[in-house]
Amino acid sequence: MATIFDKIIRGDLPASFVWQDDICVAFMDISPTSPGHTLVVPRQSVVTLAELDAATRAHLWEVANRIAVAQQKALGSKAQHFWVNDGRAAGQSVPHVHIHVLPRYGRDQLQTMGRVTWHLLTLAIPKKPSKKQRETLEAQAQAIAAELAKS
Ligand code: DGP
């Protein structure tokens, strides 16, 4: 069965893309835990990292790292989490492997803890961002994409 991410990759659902190549895509998380929260997703629709070949796995991490650098330049983040819920029992809600690149801005521990808790508590609830939220995601995506294009 097609995952939400398959539908985004096919263009059947909207998303704010920061990167696309033959192997993977990256787009803004619909429910960001911090401003700029990006997902790196292989075009191959498998659930866990172990189901990918080594070259694809390595490519995903390379793209995730480049996105983190671009987030710092574009959005002023100071550090980031690379976060993988690698299977359902690890809290994965979309059964299509992906790396969260979650920017951190410094002095944001409490805010991030609150947002992570909210994120986990509401994972099962379908999200419908407002027009303004979509515009914010799109603006952040374009800023990150512009930095990636320079690198
Ligand atoms: P995980 O729990 O690791 O499977 O995280 C899945 C993430 O996917 C979660 O942070 C929210 C995000 N997400 C779910 N549905 C959509 C969607 O339709 N569009 C986008 N852009 N992100 C989504």
Side-chain angles (χ1 to χ4, degrees):
M1 201 175 92
T3 66
I4 290 173
F5 293 167
D6 288 318
K7 293 177 187 168
I8 289 173
I9 290 168
R10 287 203 302 251
D12 294 344
L13 284 176
S16 295
F17 285 89
V18 308
W19 180 257
Q20 298 195 54
D21 63 30
D22 290 347
I23 297 171
C24 71
V25 303
F27 49 83
M28 309 309 289
D29 192 298
I30 204 170
S31 174
T33 300
S34 67
H37 184 169
T38 304
L39 303 173
V40 183
V41 183
R43 291 185 185 275
Q44 190 184 346
S45 189
V46 296
V47 178
T48 62
L49 285 169
E51 293 167 83
L52 296 170
D53 62 80
T56 301
R57 207 162 36 235
H59 183 74
L60 290 185
W61 286 108
E62 179 58 24
V63 170
N65 185 61
R66 288 187 62 205
I67 287 170
V69 173
Q71 286 169 335
Q72 293 197 13
K73 290 182 178 154
L75 306 177
S77 52
K78 294 188 163 59
Q80 54 284 322
H81 300 278
F82 296 103
W83 177 12
V84 181
N85 296 326
D86 200 30
R88 192 169 174 195
Q92 187 187 55
S93 62
V94 178
H96 187 148
V97 64
H98 50 283
I99 302 173
H100 297 254
V101 188
L102 184 55
R104 293 293 302 270
Y105 292 84
R107 299 176 188 266
D108 57 354
Q109 286 87 343
L110 273 181
Q111 197 179 25
T112 304
M113 291 273 281
R115 284 179 164 182
V116 168
T117 305
W118 179 251
H119 189 86
L120 295 174
L121 287 174
T122 63
L123 266 181
I125 302 171
K127 308 292 184 308
K128 182 123 175 54
S130 65
K131 185 166 177 282
K132 188 160 181 292
Q133 285 168 328
R134 280 259 178 233
E135 285 168 1
T136 300
L137 293 177
E138 189 57 34
Q140 290 166 342
Q142 285 182 19
I144 296 168
E147 284 300 334
L148 281 169
K150 287 185 208 164
S151 64

